Amino acid sequence: LLQAKKSRVPGTQFAVITVRRAGTNGSHANASGDALVSSGLEGAEVELGRLELTLMGVLRLGVPHLMASLAVYRGKLVRLCKKVVKDTISMACREVDDANRIVTNEEEEDEETSKKQSKPKAEALVRQLRSFDGIQFRALLTDVFSTMLCVLASCVEIHRLISRAVYDRGDHTVVVENSIASTEDILGDPELAATDTNDVQSEPTQTAHQFPKATAEEIREAIKESLSIVHNACEIAHSRCAHILVVYGQVASKFSSVEEYSETLALCSKFSEESEALCLTRAASSLRTTIVQQAQDFVRQNHKKNAEHLMILLEGETWKQSVVPREFSGMIGTLFQIDTSISHTSHTHADDLETPTEDASQARVLSMNGKNFCMVTSTLMLVKMLCGYVLLAQRLPSAATVALDCCLEILKVFNSRTCQLILGAGAMNVAGLKSITTKHLALASQSVGMILELVPYLKVAMTRCLPDHHKLLTVSLDRVLDDLKAHETEIFLKIVGIMEERAIFHCRSLKNTQWSDPKAVIPSSSMSLMSKEASTLCSLLGRIMPIHHIQTIFLRIFSKMDHVMIETLKTLEVRGSDSRERLCQDIHWFISTARTLPILTPDMGPRILENSEQYLTVIRNKSSPQTSPTQPRRN
């Protein structure tokens, strides 16, 4: 019935058919299937005249022969969709890399040779596809999508013509009287259903009387099969495009920004919607599912790199104050809607800061809602990562839940590892620190405090991105917040513990002082050193920590000192009122000096070492131990 001959079309190869009489029935189905592909999918437009001639030839033999031809048409259409995608990728690869180009044979290959060469070609295509950068990959997708939309549009047009031709040859009286289906169900297209049945019957073709009448059931099955082919073509197109996304997804990090990757996925979503609307189906879900999966995988890939990078930074962290790039202020303020700024000033003692850097784009303090934070390198990187997760959730809504999980995990990693390095002194082994000083503790508390300040805003930002049924997942951030608060408290207690040990050491030294010596110096070396250490700690913390944290720490320190002094004075044996007076003067000097620290408010001073001051009265009023009289020596 039909015979195909080759015709070249830019970008791929299609066939143009010539209608003529044929001999045997054995080749009717294959020839008819070829004709449907070739006449209907030539370039971007359907050759209506040629296709109508093809359908007339097929319908001469009846609807059953059309069903056989549609089966062949389905298979060839599947192969055509795959070939279109492969040829488009090959052409893009040739344009990107001429040195390693892959040239598809324009002549028909032998079947065995094709099978042997298909695997190496496929592997080469995959390698070249993964060598594309983000811009090149997006351009490739644009070409593939535009070509596939043309193919699908042709498939839809073929379906409409088949439906019209079968409907014209059918017994409409039987269809209507038996109420097998509505006109829209039979034609599979609302546009065809809108055509009046009388109009259709009033314009029969010249050879309609030569065709056998089709029953209602045959009409239904033929149109259903034709529509099924359209849906199958849409599924195949989505499947091939999804495969491209999966292959390139392993190197999706080549995209220069999240915005570029989100625009690429948006392009895929647009193709999915347009193709499904064109083919009147929502069954082709493979591409939609792949888009969601690739978005989630993209977030996980970024998280894996972030976690590894953060661990490297933490293990190499020397816990020295770092400069804060100016772009951090804008980045945090934009994503979390926080009032932020950076400056060169410290919390309490601006004069004690090191000389600011000459670069105006950098500063040493990050301010959030009026609170200043001194940052280290690893904390700055963590803040940047958290901002990245919020941006991913905003740009890739389908992966917002995964982004939240990544936020939780990265915060737990930072909190636990920082605790091990500072409170557990692990930094002495991995970073080469000689000891964990109070400065290291202060910077660690600032890092934890910064994240504590940021987490509530992180929760609000992530809640906006999550779907309604996932918003409760942000409760997990509250548990992380509790862990961070506990960590900060442990750091404060560690600083208090260091000063308590120093107080015990200096109070023990009071026992070695010669209080009976009239030339004894007041203050003693023990009280002088303890006062100096307290003043040095206050100055050091004042350059790093906020004043309310320093006040909390020193109130605890003086409470511990008060207890240590009283226990020491109870066990200290001092003979003579002059010696006791010198001891009381020494202790009173330290109390007076401690109450003058600049971080204490006027109402705090009288409460500092209050119990020790009261105990000095007991010491002053304590009488000298009575010596027993000498007993006469017995003869």
Side-chain angles (χ1 to χ4, degrees), residues 32 42 73 99 149 156 160 201 225 228 271 347 372 382 470 477 490 511 537 539-540 543 569 586 621 627-628 633:
S32 302
E42 181 183 7
Y73 167 55
L149 283 175
V156 172
R160 289 175 177 171
Q201 293 178 347
E225 177 67 16
S228 173
F271 167 74
H347 295 278
N372 295 335
L382 175 63
H470 285 166
L477 287 172
E490 289 293 330
K511 298 180 181 180
L537 178 64
S539 177
L540 173 65
R543 292 196 297 269
L569 292 174
D586 192 34
N621 297 331
T627 59
S628 59
R633 182 177 298 178

Coordinates of all heavy atoms in Angstrom, one line a residue, residues 32 42 73 99 149 156 160 201 225 228 271 347 372 382 470 477 490 511 537 539-540 543 569 586 621 627-628 633:
S32 N 1.8 0.8 6.6 CA 0.9 1.8 7.1 C 1.4 2.5 8.3 O 1.3 3.7 8.5 CB -0.5 1.1 7.5 OG -1.0 0.5 6.4
E42 N 6.8 14.9 9.6 CA 7.9 15.5 8.8 C 8.1 16.9 9.2 O 7.2 17.8 9.1 CB 7.4 15.5 7.3 CG 8.5 16.1 6.4 CD 8.0 16.1 4.9 OE1 6.9 15.8 4.7 OE2 8.8 16.5 4.1
Y73 N 2.8 1.8 14.3 CA 3.0 3.2 14.5 C 3.5 3.5 15.9 O 4.4 4.3 16.1 CB 1.7 3.9 14.2 CG 1.7 5.4 14.6 CD1 2.6 6.3 14.1 CD2 0.6 5.9 15.4 CE1 2.6 7.6 14.5 CE2 0.5 7.2 15.7 CZ 1.5 8.1 15.3 OH 1.5 9.4 15.6
A99 N 36.7 18.2 19.1 CA 37.8 17.3 19.1 C 37.4 15.9 19.4 O 37.9 14.9 18.9 CB 38.9 17.7 20.1
L149 N 8.4 18.9 21.7 CA 7.1 19.6 21.6 C 6.6 19.5 20.2 O 5.4 19.3 19.9 CB 7.1 21.0 22.1 CG 7.2 21.2 23.6 CD1 7.4 22.6 24.0 CD2 5.9 20.6 24.3
V156 N -0.4 14.7 18.2 CA -1.8 15.1 18.6 C -2.6 15.4 17.3 O -3.7 15.0 17.2 CB -1.7 16.3 19.5 CG1 -3.1 16.9 19.7 CG2 -1.1 16.0 20.8
R160 N -6.0 13.5 16.0 CA -7.3 14.2 15.6 C -7.8 13.7 14.2 O -9.0 13.5 14.0 CB -7.0 15.7 15.6 CG -6.9 16.3 17.1 CD -6.5 17.7 17.0 NE -6.4 18.3 18.4 CZ -6.0 19.5 18.7 NH1 -5.6 20.3 17.7 NH2 -6.0 19.9 19.9
Q201 N -21.6 14.4 8.9 CA -22.2 13.5 8.0 C -22.6 14.1 6.7 O -22.7 13.5 5.7 CB -23.4 12.9 8.7 CG -23.1 12.0 9.9 CD -24.4 11.5 10.5 OE1 -25.5 12.0 10.2 NE2 -24.2 10.5 11.3
E225 N -7.2 3.7 21.2 CA -5.8 3.3 20.9 C -5.0 4.5 20.4 O -3.8 4.6 20.7 CB -5.9 2.2 19.8 CG -4.5 1.7 19.4 CD -3.7 1.0 20.5 OE1 -4.3 0.6 21.5 OE2 -2.5 0.8 20.3
S228 N -4.2 6.6 23.2 CA -3.2 6.0 24.0 C -1.8 6.1 23.5 O -0.8 6.3 24.2 CB -3.5 4.5 24.1 OG -2.5 3.8 24.8
F271 N 8.2 22.5 30.4 CA 8.0 21.6 29.4 C 7.0 20.5 29.8 O 6.2 20.0 29.0 CB 9.3 20.9 29.0 CG 9.2 19.7 28.2 CD1 8.9 19.8 26.8 CD2 9.4 18.4 28.7 CE1 8.8 18.7 26.0 CE2 9.3 17.3 27.9 CZ 9.0 17.4 26.6
H347 N 32.7 45.2 72.4 CA 31.5 45.3 73.3 C 31.7 46.3 74.3 O 30.8 47.2 74.6 CB 31.4 43.9 74.0 CG 31.0 42.8 73.0 ND1 29.7 42.6 72.6 CD2 31.8 41.9 72.4 CE1 29.7 41.6 71.7 NE2 31.0 41.1 71.6
N372 N 26.4 42.6 69.5 CA 27.7 42.4 68.8 C 28.2 41.0 69.0 O 28.2 40.4 70.1 CB 28.7 43.4 69.2 CG 28.3 44.8 68.9 OD1 27.5 45.0 67.9 ND2 28.8 45.8 69.6
L382 N 29.6 28.7 58.7 CA 28.4 28.1 59.1 C 27.2 29.0 58.8 O 26.2 28.6 58.3 CB 28.4 27.7 60.6 CG 27.1 27.1 61.1 CD1 26.7 25.8 60.4 CD2 27.2 26.9 62.6
H470 N 4.0 20.3 56.3 CA 5.4 20.1 56.8 C 5.9 21.2 57.8 O 7.0 21.1 58.2 CB 6.3 20.0 55.7 CG 6.2 18.7 54.9 ND1 6.8 18.4 53.7 CD2 5.6 17.5 55.3 CE1 6.5 17.2 53.3 NE2 5.8 16.6 54.2
L477 N 14.0 22.5 65.3 CA 15.0 23.5 65.6 C 14.9 24.0 67.0 O 15.9 24.5 67.5 CB 14.7 24.7 64.6 CG 15.0 24.5 63.2 CD1 14.5 25.7 62.3 CD2 16.6 24.4 63.0
E490 N 27.6 25.6 79.6 CA 28.8 24.8 79.9 C 30.1 25.6 79.7 O 31.0 25.5 80.5 CB 28.9 23.5 79.1 CG 27.8 22.5 79.4 CD 28.0 21.9 80.8 OE1 29.2 21.8 81.2 OE2 27.1 21.5 81.4
K511 N 48.5 30.6 103.8 CA 49.1 29.8 104.9 C 50.6 30.0 105.0 O 51.2 29.8 106.1 CB 48.8 28.3 104.8 CG 47.3 28.1 104.8 CD 47.0 26.6 104.7 CE 45.5 26.3 104.7 NZ 45.2 24.8 104.6
L537 N 41.0 39.0 83.4 CA 39.9 38.2 82.8 C 38.8 39.2 82.4 O 38.2 39.0 81.3 CB 39.4 37.2 83.8 CG 38.2 36.4 83.3 CD1 38.6 35.5 82.1 CD2 37.7 35.5 84.5
S539 N 39.0 42.3 81.5 CA 39.4 43.0 80.3 C 39.4 42.2 79.1 O 39.0 42.6 78.0 CB 40.9 43.6 80.5 OG 41.3 44.3 79.4
L540 N 39.8 40.9 79.2 CA 39.8 40.0 78.1 C 38.4 39.7 77.6 O 38.1 39.8 76.4 CB 40.5 38.7 78.4 CG 40.5 37.6 77.4 CD1 41.2 38.0 76.1 CD2 41.0 36.3 78.0
R543 N 36.5 42.5 75.6 CA 36.8 42.7 74.2 C 36.1 41.7 73.3 O 36.0 41.9 72.1 CB 38.3 42.6 74.0 CG 39.2 43.6 74.6 CD 40.6 43.7 74.0 NE 41.3 42.4 74.2 CZ 42.1 42.2 75.3 NH1 42.2 43.1 76.2 NH2 42.7 41.1 75.4
L569 N 39.8 30.6 105.5 CA 40.0 31.3 106.8 C 39.6 30.5 108.0 O 40.2 30.7 109.1 CB 39.1 32.6 106.8 CG 39.5 33.7 105.7 CD1 38.5 34.8 105.7 CD2 40.9 34.2 106.1
D586 N 44.4 42.4 104.4 CA 44.8 41.8 103.1 C 43.5 41.4 102.4 O 43.3 41.6 101.2 CB 45.7 40.7 103.3 CG 46.3 40.2 102.0 OD1 46.6 41.0 101.1 OD2 46.6 39.0 101.9
N621 N 37.5 39.6 116.1 CA 37.1 39.4 117.5 C 37.5 38.1 118.1 O 37.2 37.8 119.3 CB 35.5 39.5 117.5 CG 35.0 40.8 117.1 OD1 35.7 41.8 117.2 ND2 33.8 40.8 116.5
T627 N 47.4 29.7 126.6 CA 48.5 28.7 126.8 C 48.3 28.1 128.2 O 48.1 28.9 129.1 CB 49.8 29.3 126.6 OG1 50.0 30.4 127.5 CG2 50.0 29.8 125.1
S628 N 48.5 26.9 128.3 CA 48.3 26.3 129.7 C 49.6 26.6 130.5 O 50.7 26.7 130.0 CB 48.2 24.7 129.5 OG 49.3 24.2 128.8
R633 N 58.1 20.8 137.8 CA 58.7 19.5 137.5 C 58.8 18.7 138.8 O 59.2 19.1 139.8 CB 60.1 19.8 137.0 CG 60.9 18.5 136.6 CD 62.3 18.9 136.1 NE 62.1 19.7 134.9 CZ 63.2 20.1 134.2 NH1 64.4 19.9 134.7 NH2 63.0 20.8 133.1

